[in-house]
Amino acid sequence: MNQTSSHSPGLSRRGNLASVLAAAAAAMPVIASASPHAQDAALLAVSDAFWQIHNEIWSADYLTEHEYGSPEQKTVEAKLEQLCQQEGLLVRQLAQTPARTPAGLKAKATILQSLLPDIMRDCYLSDESAEFLLLMSLLADVAGGAA
């Protein structure tokens, strides 16, 4: 993978509670569901939107390399900032949407597996961050909504 020479740690927020979630996902109870996609349709739609944005971020961040300070690099950084904001909003939306089926739980866990490694490496993860809220939401879903 190529990284731009001016890679901003804040842009790597999309990355890092993965190992915790992998363990949580492996221990998830099976949830009975007559129609899994209907029960988690909204969550799965947001998940799909997340992956579209996440892939755009990855492509812009890792597949392009420009000289630091160049107009091209500044354009890429501006695009990344906008995409990261969109991604953060989608992660917050996922955190606010309960998972009711194994498919919904898997969607949340897979996103966290993708995001957490970079976040844990590059950023301070506050209890107000979208990724932390999504982690807590997934844990609440797995625990059956217990507080």
Side-chain angles (χ1 to χ4, degrees):
M1 274 189 262
N2 292 331
Q3 287 186 306
T4 59
S5 57
S6 65
H7 180 25
S8 302
L11 296 177
S12 291
R13 280 193 78 219
R14 51 186 192 279
N16 222 359
L17 298 186
S19 59
V20 174
L21 289 179
M28 285 189 290
V30 176
I31 299 173
S33 166
S35 176
H37 294 295
Q39 288 186 348
D40 275 337
L43 186 143
L44 295 174
V46 176
S47 174
D48 288 345
F50 165 86
W51 284 112
Q52 185 173 28
I53 295 292
H54 187 74
N55 290 333
E56 286 184 55
I57 290 169
W58 192 89
S59 294
D61 203 14
Y62 296 107
L63 297 181
T64 59
E65 195 167 321
H66 300 288
E67 184 177 330
Y68 181 74
S70 70
E72 295 86 2
Q73 184 266 332
K74 290 178 182 179
T75 299
V76 168
E77 289 294 322
K79 179 181 179 181
L80 282 169
E81 180 65 28
Q82 178 186 22
L83 289 170
C84 286
Q85 287 177 6
Q86 290 174 341
E87 183 181 70
L89 291 173
L90 290 168
V91 172
R92 284 189 184 279
Q93 192 173 352
L94 285 164
Q96 296 170 354
T97 308
R100 293 182 169 87
T101 67
L105 293 168
K106 182 178 180 180
K108 284 184 174 185
T110 302
I111 288 169
L112 283 166
Q113 281 181 308
S114 175
L115 295 176
L116 293 180
D118 288 341
I119 291 171
M120 298 303 289
R121 183 184 61 243
D122 297 341
C123 302
Y124 170 72
L125 190 63
S126 79
D127 61 357
E128 298 280 327
S129 71
E131 294 81 7
F132 182 80
L133 294 172
L134 180 57
L135 174 62
M136 295 306 294
S137 173
L138 174 63
L139 294 174
D141 294 343
V142 170

